[in-house]
Amino acid sequence: EATLTFFELGTHTVELEVSDGELSDTFRFEIELQDTRSPEPAIAQDQIPTPTNQTAVDVTGTVTEAFRLSEVSVESSAGTPVIASFSGPAPDYTYTASAVGLQEGPNSITVLATDSKGNTGTATADILVDWTAPVVMATEPMDGSTVFSGSFDLVVQATDPSQTVASGVATVGVTVEDGPSGTGVVPEGDGFKVSGPTEGAYALTLLVTVTDDAGNVGTQEITIQVVNNRPPIAVAAVEG
């Protein structure tokens, strides 16, 4: 019994000598070593941002190929393939494809690895692309309203308006853009608590910001008139 190890593809001539101690003979034959196994690419999923508002992404990963890797290309639903750079040695290759173009909506990323004998293997990953900014609106009090205390509740409504690629609202925040020193805003319940001076009258400008899961940002600036007393209540006189 003999074990033969070959390191190169192609035709190899093997010479076998057989002997019983007294007589011997030599046999020659050829063995053709072929590469019929497909390369096995993989995508580094933790490097794929989804959802995202990017127009292009870098795609990295590995390819398992026993002999010689010839080419790695990466294509998205947006179209034109990108030829990746790769390095070995076999059987463990790594690759990087830079600036793979994306389109708004669902994208399928396909990696195609080809070895020196034309065998191919593929790997895929999905990316959701959302380029539409979310919409935010203060509903109570509304922009231009008057409130009668420097401490009041602010209710806002945030939506991600795209009907096909909405990634969802991630965060909503409120900051003071202009107003008396010491005015603050903190989250409270489903809205925010605004705390300003409780004496005098002043204008308060707030910036409401919403960010969706893809990183798009929508804003609304509102100005509230604060009057720290309630209007007088009219009482009708009753005769009789």
Side-chain angles (χ1 to χ4, degrees), residues 49-53 128 130 134 160 166-171 210-216:
T50 184
T52 183
N53 61 357
L128 178 65
D130 179 3
D160 202 358
S167 57
V169 172
T171 61
V210 58
T211 305
D212 67 18
D213 288 322
N216 302 299

Side-chain angles (χ1 to χ4, degrees), residues 4-5 7 23 31 34 46-47 57 79 81 91 98-99 111 122 146 174 183 186-187 202 204 216 221 233-234:
L4 303 177
T5 302
F7 295 96
L23 300 175
I31 294 178
Q34 297 181 342
D46 60 339
Q47 301 298 311
V57 293
S98 300
V111 176
T122 61
T146 298
V174 179
T183 302
V186 295
Y202 52 87
L204 183 61
N216 302 299
E221 187 176 86
I233 300 175

Side-chain angles (χ1 to χ4, degrees), residues 7-84:
F7 295 96
E8 294 291 336
L9 299 175
T11 302
H12 300 266
T13 300
V14 178
E15 185 175 288
L16 179 64
E17 183 177 345
V18 179
S19 174
D20 62 1
E22 295 182 3
L23 300 175
S24 64
D25 203 351
T26 299
F27 301 90
R28 289 185 178 87
F29 56 93
E30 292 183 343
I31 294 178
E32 184 179 2
L33 183 61
Q34 297 181 342
D35 179 12
T36 60
R37 183 174 178 177
S38 298
E40 300 175 2
I43 299 173
Q45 298 282 352
D46 60 339
Q47 301 298 311
I48 298 293
T50 184
T52 183
N53 61 357
Q54 299 180 52
T55 58
V57 293
D58 295 341
V59 178
T60 62
T62 61
V63 179
T64 301
E65 164 55 38
F67 294 101
R68 187 175 296 113
L69 188 62
S70 177
E71 181 180 272
V72 179
S73 65
V74 180
E75 184 176 4
S76 78
S77 302
T80 306
V82 174
I83 302 301

Side-chain angles (χ1 to χ4, degrees), residues 125-144:
D126 296 322
I127 300 179
L128 178 65
V129 178
D130 179 3
W131 293 334
T132 304
V135 175
V136 64
M137 177 178 291
T139 59
E140 185 182 343
M142 299 180 67
D143 182 30

Side-chain angles (χ1 to χ4, degrees), residues 164-191:
T164 57
V165 298
S167 57
V169 172
T171 61
V172 180
V174 179
T175 56
V176 178
E177 292 291 288
D178 189 31
S181 176
T183 302
V185 183
V186 295
E188 185 175 275
D190 293 331

